[in-house]
Amino acid sequence: TEHYLQDTLGSLHNVAAAFCYSPAVLQCLSQDSPDYLQEGDALTFAFSNTLLLNDHILSAYLYNTDLQQVAAVGKEFPLSKDKLELCSSMEIRTEPLTDQNELYYKVLFPIYNLVNAPYQNALGMCVFIMEPKALDDILKDSKATQNSTVFLLDENDQILICTKKGKQGFILPEQEQKSNSSHYFCSRSLSMNKWRIASLIPEEDLNQPDRMLNHITIA
């Protein structure tokens, strides 16, 4: 699961880079006015190609270095500008974007000048919105036992993904992050965003093989 998730995030990075460094996006962020994008369909075409590579992406918002939104394509969401800042590398965050407070993934991707001197100057940033199930499928087949629960946690222990319904968006209690007589807890850190993959396995599930062996012996 860990390697599959790392591969998925790596693929997402490549898809984001392809869009952010497309001629349409670079032209948008290199000029003073976004009228070009409002009049033409170059950005829409670039975004359509992005959807072919990752159909979980719902929309893309372009911001200049002053964090002013200059263009948007795809489905509209009520994005909050609170805590929005230019990032130096790809980051993934979550934000509730519906009336039901359903969490969506926000992929922040910086865009730099790679063509003209001075190089590596920031041009702006793109914020992609991804549907909640974008990473959910990765955990579906990763349960160690029938009744175990698998989590994807952010750096604040907020549950981004969970194989048990109703847990997403909540903080995983500290007492549940310790193995005890009722369950076994284990986790592994990921290289991106200080996320962790964690498993909560009931103690009775760990003893299940012994009980099955007893049944076979009795039979």
Side-chain angles (χ1 to χ4, degrees):
T1 301
E2 177 187 358
H3 295 301
Y4 186 32
L5 183 57
Q6 297 280 26
D7 291 343
T8 300
L9 295 177
S11 175
L12 176 59
H13 182 281
N14 294 336
V15 171
F19 174 80
C20 291
Y21 287 96
S22 64
V25 171
L26 293 178
Q27 183 169 352
C28 169
L29 295 176
S30 298
Q31 58 186 18
D32 297 332
S33 171
D35 291 342
Y36 158 78
L37 292 173
Q38 296 174 355
E39 297 172 357
D41 59 357
L43 185 66
T44 301
F45 179 75
F47 185 67
S48 298
N49 290 336
T50 300
L51 298 184
L52 294 176
L53 299 174
N54 190 323
D55 57 2
H56 291 303
I57 295 177
L58 301 177
S59 53
Y61 296 82
L62 288 176
Y63 296 86
N64 59 22
T65 52
D66 296 325
L67 295 178
Q68 298 296 318
Q69 183 180 312
V70 297
V73 285
K75 185 177 180 180
E76 294 186 10
F77 288 95
L79 287 184
S80 171
K81 288 193 64 176
D82 294 343
K83 300 181 180 179
L84 184 63
E85 58 185 19
L86 290 176
C87 56
S88 58
S89 59
M90 188 176 85
E91 297 181 8
I92 303 180
R93 304 174 185 172
T94 56
E95 183 175 327
L97 297 177
T98 66
D99 295 336
Q100 292 75 31
N101 288 326
E102 187 176 18
L103 289 178
Y104 284 75
Y105 296 109
K106 292 171 56 178
V107 181
L108 283 62
F109 199 94
I111 305 174
Y112 295 97
N113 172 28
L114 302 180
V115 179
N116 302 316
Y119 301 102
Q120 297 295 338
N121 279 355
L123 296 177
M125 179 176 66
C126 182
V127 176
F128 296 94
I129 304 299
M130 297 182 64
E131 59 183 345
K133 64 176 294 184
L135 302 177
D136 292 4
D137 294 342
I138 299 176
L139 301 188
K140 283 184 178 180
D141 299 324
S142 62
K143 296 173 60 174
T145 66
Q146 181 179 358
N147 299 310
S148 62
T149 306
V150 183
F151 307 89
L152 180 61
L153 307 173
D154 67 10
E155 68 276 14
N156 299 314
D157 290 337
Q158 183 183 43
I159 301 172
L160 304 178
I161 308 176
C162 182
T163 54
K164 183 177 294 185
K165 292 183 179 180
K167 294 285 188 179
Q168 186 179 14
F170 292 94
I171 300 296
L172 184 64
E174 185 175 347
Q175 61 267 25
E176 291 190 18
Q177 299 187 40
K178 299 178 181 179
S179 300
N180 54 43
S181 58
S182 64
H183 67 263
Y184 175 75
F185 181 84
C186 60
S187 69
R188 288 182 62 88
S189 298
L190 301 175
S191 60
M192 178 176 291
N193 285 22
K194 300 180 181 179
W195 287 2
R196 291 187 296 149
I197 295 178
S199 294
L200 194 65
I201 307 173
E203 181 69 24
E204 59 182 15
D205 281 14
L206 295 176
N207 297 329
Q208 187 69 33
D210 294 337
R211 293 202 297 269
M212 181 62 68
L213 179 59
N214 289 337
H215 292 326
I216 294 176
T217 302
I218 292 174

